[in-house]
């Protein structure tokens, strides 16, 4: 019977306490905390231009992919 009363007392006592303060980094409300400087990154950085272009000459392109004629 004693462990039950002790457990009940511990549960009741722990319910009266507030949550623990969890601090991972600098306090955001502290005015003297250091902040990393911002750097500008344009929204269009790394985009590829897909505008239409004039076609390349078909003869040169055809000769590049044509089978090579060996000296047979």
């Amino acid at each position: 019977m004693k462990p039950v009363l002790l457990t009940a007392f511990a549960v009741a006592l722990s319910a009266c306490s507030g949550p623990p303060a969890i601090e991972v980094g600098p306090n955001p409300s502290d005015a003297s905390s250091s902040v990393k400087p911002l750097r500008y990154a344009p929204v269009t950085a790394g985009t590829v231009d897909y505008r239409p272009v004039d076609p390349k000459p078909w003869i040169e392109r055809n000769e590049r992919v044509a089978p090579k004629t060996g000296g047979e």
Side-chain angles (χ1 to χ4, degrees), residues 55-68:
K56 295 184 179 179
W58 66 270
I59 295 175
E60 294 171 11
R61 294 178 62 90
N62 192 21
E63 288 175 354
R64 277 195 299 153
V65 296
K68 307 287 188 237

Side-chain angles (χ1 to χ4, degrees), residues 33-39:
S33 63
S34 62
V35 179
K36 290 184 181 178
L38 297 177
R39 69 176 183 87

